[in-house]
Amino acid sequence: MRQLYPLLLLLTLSFNYIYSQRPGGERERGPIIISGKVVDKDDNLPLEYATLVLQSVNNPDKITGGITDIDGNFQVETTPGKYNISIEYISYKTYKLPNQTLTESTDLGTVKLALDVAQLEAVEVVGEKTTVEVRLDKKIYNIGKDLTNSGATITDALNNVPSVDVDVEGAISLRGNENVRILINGKPSALAGFGSTDALTQLPADAIEKVEVITSPSARYDAEGTAGILNIVLKKEKTLGFNGSVNTTIGYPVNSGISVNANLRTDKFNLFNTTGYNYRDAPGNAFYDNTYTSGSYDRIIEDRDYFRLRKGFNTNLGLEYFITEESSITGSVFYRTSKSEDETENTNQRFINSTLDSETFRTEDEGEDDENYQFSLNYINNLDDDGQKLTVDAQYSNGVEDKTNIIQENNTLPNDDLIVLENVFEKETQNEYLVQADYVLPMGDAQFEAGYRGTFEKTETDYRLDSLNQTTGLFDINQDLTNLFAYTENVNALYTQYGNKYGKFSFLLGLRLENTQLKGELTSLYDSSELEEQLGVDVDANFDKNYLGLFPTVNVIYELGENENISLGYNRRINRPRGRYVNPFPSRSSRTNIFQGNPDLDPAFSNAFDVGYLKRWDKLTFTSSVYYQRETDSFERIQEETGETTTDGIEIIRSIPINLSTNDRIGVEAGMLYNPAKWLRLNSSFNFFQFKTEGAFNGIDYGTTNTSWFARFSSKVSLPAKIDWQTNAFYRGPSSTAQTENGGIFSLNLAFSKDILKDNGTISLNVSDLLNSRKRTSYTETEFFTSDSEFQWRQRQITMGFVYRFNQPKERNKNGRGNNNDEGDEEIEG
């Protein structure tokens, strides 16, 4: 209720102010003007949206007043009389002037408000923990002051959000399902990467304001992503004047970076910029024990070491111009460039009849240069004071990914002969255009929405493989595997939805119509008949497919009490194959294990149901839900023999995505936020799920049942001397697919922070994976081979961080212009 009080007060004051202007009121006595300015007592910064209250002494029910503007000024028209004057601002002590006789226009001068320590502590509790808000179509987790985010990336931060899991390779899943749509501020973005989440590992976690977990998306959202949507809302500074922060980190293994946020805001425009640079080295390791039923060797043991060097730069520059009090236009440009240098060292021991026959040493040196830029234009017009709004967005994104990979393998026993030397060249270029318009029309307690969204995306992959001919000493181009593949995905969508509230019952009904065009164009000397023989199906790498579908959504909430409700959600979703999944040519990062796309892959469709329950007590918040989803033509990556061997007689194994017939998912999740004392905050969540798949490919049944679970626990303790201590623990239970069983994974993170320099600075120490236990153990079994493996993507990380805020008090930026309409970023998606 504390958060609702300023809004209710503002509405009351606005009503009385409007009423006081009507003919027939007290205007016949002649109006007077009460003016002044409100500032912070400590730093003299103006306080926007502070409230002036004028309460008549003779008629206490008569209340009028107003609010301060962006410069802290107020000017209120009233009638002469005797008033109790008060000036209020959240987390500040109220300024009072009782029994004031006002007979003429009066300037109260500059009023300095002091912080209310008791209220400030309460506000800080809200700001520092991860809180949850439940809406008709989403759960919103306010990241707050999560200490483990210092020096961390957005990917790391997502791993602390309930329902979300990030595996050891950085793949993001929602309720155990990796087919999740990632949005930034409500739209697909170059910040998140296109069809990949690699870019999220280069952006700092402290840029996040909140994360929206949308497991039952409304019709305004793109129907892509059968698991649902994760919308990452970035921080937007609303404080007047010039302000910002500098954040630096240094860690071991090498993890250093600096990011600068700067903001210049006036009553007519807001100029903002975020610029960052990072330099990271992420060593990892893996071990594989493989046995074969055919080929030259019975057993091969692989011991791998990974060295990954990442250097990245990103900047976002934007200008928001306030055309009127009701409308604004924002233009921004985002640029990101990164350079990766990855080296994999692989020692192989090869056995025949349990006897060591030979040893080899393979190196894979991969270099990758990425460059992305994005131009965005956003127009918002609040057409009236009742909430009628029009939003128009246009966006263009371009990304270029240039890879080179040198694969070299030599014998180390019984000789040192060269086995193979290959050069792989791959360049991927992607262009995407987005246009959308959204219209909102409130109708009392009801609300009608409609909109259009079009995305037009084209990806070109240029792939070449050169192999050293040891006879001639020259590199030969592999004409069969060298190719140019272009993949186009165009989506046009119209949507409409209607929401209303009847007493304790609220609902949101929506319908989305989407037309999808998927087009493939292949340029290669590869024999298509050989491709069909490999895949076992009739395929055409040059295809043009068109799909038209309706996607209904239903979201309902029933309030059992002021702090208790149950919810019901239904939605239909689509999973469109990405370019890599339909490109029929192998991605050769290894001589013996390749990934090959399937041009015959069709989109998958799902119907999902979700029943939720939320209960709030004074110090405890409990959330839970039961969910079920049935997906048809679902994607599954399977491994099979290619029938080919390397030059030294090792079977080549192919991974390929296929459409299975069905995938049924059922699960239950629960979360708890508990604040037993001001110095202690606890947060825990649990998710249990079961996947059941049915389907066959090339005569092999890949049906299976997979049951797994994951849980997380977080505690934060406020120690003396302004020191905070946070512990995060995570465990993911064992899981399985048709061919692979994965063991459980446990990880533990610790973090400490202390405010310094009059609370303008914060130093922190963060230890990620304290026990160095975040490793994936797997066992794969097929008719032709078995593989027992252990994989660690990144070793234990120790990071120190320092952030300095200038003209940016820690709690102040929660208030300011536009804060009463915080839905803007959340509802951009059309």
Side-chain angles (χ1 to χ4, degrees):
M1 291 299 295
R2 182 184 297 273
Q3 288 80 2
L4 293 176
Y5 175 73
L7 178 60
L8 294 175
L9 180 61
L10 177 60
L11 292 174
T12 302
L13 294 175
S14 299
F15 174 79
N16 281 278
Y17 177 76
I18 294 171
Y19 178 78
S20 70
Q21 305 304 303
R22 294 178 178 175
E26 298 186 40
R27 290 184 61 90
E28 65 275 10
R29 299 179 58 189
I32 60 176
I33 302 296
I34 309 300
S35 59
K37 184 173 185 176
V38 183
V39 300
D40 183 288
K41 181 179 180 181
D42 294 328
D43 53 25
N44 289 319
L45 289 175
L47 297 178
E48 183 184 8
Y49 287 111
T51 306
L52 169 70
V53 179
L54 300 174
Q55 182 183 37
S56 173
V57 174
N58 299 324
N59 183 10
D61 292 334
K62 178 186 175 184
I63 300 176
T64 187
I67 58 176
T68 58
D69 62 17
I70 195 168
D71 296 316
N73 297 317
F74 62 86
Q75 185 172 316
V76 176
E77 182 178 295
T78 187
T79 56
K82 182 177 286 189
Y83 292 91
N84 292 320
I85 302 175
S86 63
I87 299 177
E88 304 174 3
Y89 192 69
I90 188 169
S91 76
Y92 284 74
K93 293 180 180 179
T94 300
Y95 175 85
K96 296 182 179 180
L97 290 172
N99 296 317
Q100 299 294 307
T101 300
L102 303 176
T103 58
E104 59 184 12
S105 295
T106 303
D107 185 354
L108 299 180
T110 300
V111 177
K112 297 184 177 182
L113 298 187
L115 286 170
D116 187 326
V117 177
Q119 288 192 39
L120 184 59
E121 288 180 353
V123 171
E124 287 180 342
V125 168
V126 174
E128 293 184 359
K129 68 180 182 178
T130 300
T131 59
V132 59
E133 305 170 35
V134 176
R135 304 287 174 85
L136 274 168
D137 58 348
K138 72 187 78 172
K139 289 186 178 74
I140 303 173
Y141 294 94
N142 300 300
I143 297 299
K145 190 182 176 184
D146 190 332
L147 303 187
T148 59
N149 286 345
S150 178
T153 67
I154 288 182
T155 300
D156 298 324
L158 289 177
N159 209 28
N160 294 327
V161 176
S163 305
V164 180
D165 179 28
V166 183
D167 70 12
V168 294
E169 295 180 87
I172 300 170
S173 61
L174 180 59
R175 292 174 169 176
N177 185 353
E178 291 186 6
N179 182 28
V180 56
R181 180 73 156 166
I182 307 292
L183 303 176
I184 302 291
N185 291 338
K187 298 189 292 293
S189 173
L191 277 74
F194 300 105
S196 169
T197 58
D198 291 345
L200 298 180
T201 65
Q202 302 175 27
L203 300 176
D206 57 15
I208 302 176
E209 176 74 21
K210 54 194 171 186
V211 176
E212 299 177 356
V213 178
I214 311 174
T215 52
S216 183
S218 66
R220 74 166 65 92
Y221 292 100
D222 181 9
E224 171 71 26
T226 55
I229 295 171
L230 289 179
N231 183 29
I232 301 169
V233 180
L234 303 181
K235 293 178 180 177
K236 289 180 65 177
E237 181 56 51
K238 301 183 179 71
T239 307
L240 175 72
F242 180 69
N243 51 76
S245 63
V246 179
N247 193 346
T248 60
T249 58
I250 186 170
Y252 176 83
V254 177
N255 177 21
S256 58
I258 181 170
S259 63
V260 179
N261 298 286
N263 190 89
L264 176 62
R265 189 181 186 104
T266 71
D267 58 350
K268 289 301 294 181
F269 68 86
N270 183 27
L271 179 66
F272 53 90
N273 175 253
T274 300
T275 300
Y277 175 81
N278 62 82
Y279 184 97
R280 309 184 77 192
D281 190 5
N285 58 83
F287 178 84
Y288 298 84
D289 189 347
N290 306 317
T291 63
Y292 300 87
T293 58
S294 60
S296 301
Y297 301 100
D298 301 315
R299 182 185 183 193
I300 298 178
I301 296 177
E302 301 183 41
D303 195 351
R304 302 184 186 182
D305 288 311
Y306 300 95
F307 306 93
R308 306 183 191 88
L309 185 62
R310 302 283 193 270
K311 294 176 283 187
F313 170 82
N314 63 84
T315 185
N316 184 45
L317 177 65
L319 176 67
E320 180 180 12
Y321 179 73
F322 306 109
I323 304 171
T324 66
E325 288 293 325
E326 294 77 25
S327 63
S328 67
I329 186 168
T330 302
S332 64
V333 57
F334 170 78
Y335 176 78
R336 178 177 66 87
T337 181
S338 66
K339 185 178 182 63
S340 302
E341 299 174 8
D342 295 354
E343 181 179 357
T344 303
E345 296 180 350
N346 190 348
T347 301
N348 291 264
Q349 294 181 311
R350 308 177 180 191
F351 296 84
I352 299 177
N353 296 326
S354 300
T355 301
L356 179 63
D357 177 76
S358 62
E359 287 185 351
T360 67
F361 181 73
R362 183 173 75 239
T363 60
E364 299 175 16
D365 293 324
E366 181 179 289
E368 180 177 325
D369 294 329
D370 289 348
E371 188 174 43
N372 295 270
Y373 59 87
Q374 176 176 289
F375 299 99
S376 302
L377 195 63
N378 167 255
Y379 172 74
I380 297 177
N381 192 336
N382 296 296
L383 302 174
D384 56 32
D385 295 335
D386 297 325
Q388 187 180 190
K389 183 169 68 172
L390 173 66
T391 305
V392 180
D393 288 273
Q395 181 174 288
Y396 169 71
S397 304
N398 175 272
V400 178
E401 184 179 275
D402 209 335
K403 292 182 182 179
T404 59
N405 192 9
I406 302 174
I407 303 173
Q408 180 175 343
E409 189 164 6
N410 293 76
N411 282 322
T412 56
L413 180 75
N415 53 55
D416 58 359
D417 293 344
L418 175 67
I419 299 175
V420 68
L421 179 59
E422 295 180 335
N423 294 330
V424 179
F425 304 93
E426 184 174 2
K427 184 175 183 178
E428 183 174 284
T429 304
Q430 186 167 45
N431 288 279
E432 182 179 56
Y433 298 87
L434 180 146
V435 179
Q436 66 182 58
D438 302 276
Y439 172 71
V440 178
L441 176 64
M443 298 178 291
D445 289 335
Q447 181 167 292
F448 169 80
E449 297 181 43
Y452 162 81
R453 179 175 183 268
T455 56
F456 312 96
E457 176 185 333
K458 185 174 183 178
T459 304
E460 289 188 346
T461 303
D462 192 350
Y463 183 92
R464 194 183 88 196
L465 173 65
D466 295 348
S467 299
L468 178 65
N469 187 325
Q470 297 192 47
T471 302
T472 64
L474 301 175
F475 281 93
D476 296 332
I477 297 178
N478 188 321
Q479 297 292 351
D480 285 342
L481 297 184
T482 297
N483 69 93
L484 176 64
F485 184 71
Y487 182 63
T488 300
E489 178 184 293
N490 296 328
V491 181
N492 287 279
L494 294 170
Y495 83 91
T496 182
Q497 62 183 24
Y498 175 79
N500 207 340
K501 182 175 183 180
Y502 297 97
K504 298 181 178 181
F505 178 77
S506 303
F507 67 87
L508 182 63
L509 307 177
L511 185 63
R512 189 177 185 91
L513 174 68
E514 287 196 351
N515 176 258
T516 300
Q517 180 191 38
L518 304 179
K519 185 178 180 181
E521 300 175 87
L522 176 65
T523 303
S524 175
L525 298 177
Y526 198 75
D527 188 347
S528 60
S529 61
E530 184 176 346
L531 175 63
E532 293 177 359
E533 182 180 348
Q534 283 187 1
L535 298 178
V537 293
D538 294 332
V539 298
D540 185 0
N542 294 285
F543 58 86
D544 190 348
K545 302 178 181 180
N546 207 287
Y547 305 88
L548 182 66
L550 284 173
F551 300 90
T553 62
V554 177
N555 289 288
V556 176
I557 286 183
Y558 181 75
E559 298 175 9
L560 301 174
E562 182 178 354
N563 297 308
E564 184 179 17
N565 65 61
I566 57 175
S567 60
L568 171 66
Y570 161 77
N571 64 88
R572 185 171 186 257
R573 310 285 295 164
I574 184 175
N575 182 12
R576 305 180 186 95
R578 304 300 299 177
R580 182 169 181 259
Y581 266 43
V582 295
N583 188 342
F585 290 89
S587 174
R588 191 160 179 155
S589 59
S590 168
R591 294 195 307 122
T592 57
N593 293 278
I594 62 175
F595 176 84
Q596 188 169 14
N598 179 4
D600 198 47
L601 204 62
D602 291 321
F605 295 88
S606 71
N607 291 278
F609 300 85
D610 188 294
V611 179
Y613 172 76
L614 177 140
K615 172 71 173 176
R616 298 182 192 271
W617 291 270
D618 183 34
K619 298 181 178 181
L620 175 68
T621 298
F622 174 77
T623 60
S624 63
S625 63
V626 177
Y627 53 91
Y628 170 76
Q629 181 186 77
R630 183 174 180 83
E631 185 175 346
T632 57
D633 288 332
S634 60
F635 301 164
E636 179 78 14
R637 284 180 58 169
I638 57 99
Q639 291 181 307
E640 63 178 10
E641 289 180 302
T642 62
E644 301 176 356
T645 61
T646 62
T647 55
D648 46 344
I650 303 175
E651 289 284 347
I652 297 178
I653 299 168
R654 172 177 54 236
S655 295
I656 184 172
I658 61 172
N659 285 116
L660 284 182
S661 57
T662 60
N663 188 334
D664 290 310
R665 302 181 175 99
I666 188 170
V668 59
E669 63 180 356
M672 180 190 71
L673 301 167
Y674 182 45
N675 302 117
K678 291 183 178 180
W679 56 269
L680 178 62
R681 293 174 276 282
L682 305 175
N683 182 359
S684 65
S685 63
F686 174 81
N687 199 306
F688 174 86
F689 52 87
Q690 182 183 81
F691 294 179
K692 183 178 180 180
T693 60
E694 297 178 353
F697 185 72
N698 284 347
I700 300 177
D701 185 4
Y702 290 101
T704 187
T705 299
N706 170 24
T707 300
S708 188
W709 59 278
F710 61 86
R712 56 171 49 89
F713 173 81
S714 174
S715 67
K716 186 174 181 182
V717 180
S718 297
L719 302 172
K722 293 185 178 181
I723 297 175
D724 288 328
W725 166 26
Q726 183 169 317
T727 303
N728 287 358
F730 176 83
Y731 180 78
R732 183 173 58 180
S735 62
S736 63
T737 65
Q739 296 178 322
T740 302
E741 295 180 359
N742 300 304
I745 300 176
F746 175 78
S747 63
L748 182 68
N749 300 338
L750 290 181
F752 298 87
S753 79
K754 176 177 172 54
D755 291 334
I756 59 175
L757 303 176
K758 297 182 179 180
D759 293 344
N760 289 319
T762 302
I763 57 174
S764 60
L765 174 66
N766 183 7
V767 183
S768 177
D769 195 12
L770 176 69
L771 305 179
N772 206 35
S773 58
R774 192 169 171 80
K775 303 176 181 180
R776 182 187 65 204
T777 57
S778 302
Y779 179 76
T780 300
E781 182 175 7
T782 71
E783 294 183 352
F784 52 92
F785 89 106
T786 66
S787 179
D788 197 353
S789 65
E790 180 182 276
F791 178 74
Q792 183 178 27
W793 178 256
R794 187 176 64 185
Q795 299 175 8
R796 174 175 46 230
Q797 181 82 53
I798 302 174
T799 306
M800 291 193 65
F802 172 70
V803 58
Y804 181 77
R805 296 169 290 273
F806 53 93
N807 298 331
Q808 192 185 71
K810 290 178 62 178
E811 300 302 324
R812 180 82 46 75
N813 58 13
K814 293 181 181 297
N815 307 292
R817 178 170 182 160
N819 199 45
N820 61 332
N821 186 21
D822 199 34
E823 295 293 306
D825 292 334
E826 301 166 20
E827 299 184 357
I828 291 176
E829 172 73 7

